[in-house]
Amino acid sequence: MSTAVHIPETICVSLIGMAGAGKSTLAPLLAHALGWPHMDTDQLVEAYMGGSLQEIYDAAGSEDFLALEERTVASVAASRMVLSTGGSVAYSPRAMARLRLLGPVIWLRISLPTFLARVGKADNRGFVRRAGLDLAGIYAERQPLYAQAADFVVDTDLNSPEECVRIVMDWLAAHYS
């Protein structure tokens, strides 16, 4: 696919971004390209709590769900792995600091129209909704949080999944090979 990438043994590559940005699609593709495993932090939350994200969110409420997500992500101890995260992880400085400590953080960015088209009403996704904000407001609120944490940005609504993986691999090769 791209130039061979020789990333240090001790790092992970973390994918952040809005729901619908393609984290769950791109993470396994990127992991395959790197020859690494993939871990989805939403699946860790589900495994720990024994339910779907929506069930957990409904039972816990927004603040407790965010605290659970923060504890889960902040406790990840892994290397040579691609991590995909829940979109609301950006609300936690502690979780974002942990991801940055683990290695490069890649923001999978999408436009507002693409976000709205892909997530619909965001029902049954375990989507964290901050009080008083509609989906466009949540999108606007999170954009600077992702930008602040990201080492690199890929516009996933402008590129195919395969092109996005190539773009990330090229960036990794330029920074780690």
Side-chain angles (χ1 to χ4, degrees):
M1 174 176 287
S2 297
T3 307
V5 179
H6 304 287
I7 298 179
E9 297 281 328
T10 57
I11 73 165
C12 291
V13 175
S14 298
L15 305 180
I16 62 171
M18 292 299 296
K23 299 178 301 285
S24 296
T25 299
L26 289 179
L29 295 174
L30 180 59
H32 178 75
L34 289 167
W36 293 0
H38 158 246
M39 180 184 350
D40 185 319
T41 62
D42 282 347
Q43 290 177 346
L44 286 177
V45 169
E46 289 176 333
Y48 179 74
M49 296 301 294
S52 73
L53 280 184
Q54 188 64 52
E55 291 167 342
I56 297 163
Y57 182 79
D58 289 346
S62 182
E63 293 308 312
D64 286 345
F65 180 87
L66 288 171
L68 173 62
E69 180 180 54
E70 177 182 72
R71 282 192 308 274
T72 301
V73 174
S75 68
V76 170
S79 59
R80 295 185 62 80
M81 182 172 293
V82 175
L83 299 171
S84 55
T85 63
S88 56
V89 73
Y91 289 127
S92 170
R94 180 175 164 225
M96 297 308 289
R98 181 63 182 167
L99 294 177
R100 291 187 54 77
L101 182 66
L102 292 172
V105 176
I106 311 295
W107 175 17
L108 304 184
R109 183 171 58 190
I110 55 175
S111 67
L112 176 59
T114 300
F115 164 66
L116 294 173
R118 288 184 183 173
V119 302
K121 294 180 182 178
D123 294 334
N124 301 314
R125 294 185 70 108
F127 187 85
V128 173
R129 297 173 186 268
R130 304 282 261 190
L133 293 177
D134 62 6
L135 290 177
I138 293 167
Y139 176 92
E141 178 181 63
R142 291 184 187 179
Q143 298 309 290
L145 300 175
Y146 297 134
Q148 181 180 7
D151 294 301
F152 185 65
V153 179
V154 178
D155 291 308
T156 60
D157 56 353
L158 301 178
N159 299 287
S160 71
E162 294 76 19
E163 290 169 328
C164 290
V165 169
R166 181 194 49 77
I167 291 166
V168 172
M169 292 294 288
D170 289 347
W171 182 83
L172 290 170
H175 287 81
Y176 291 99
S177 293

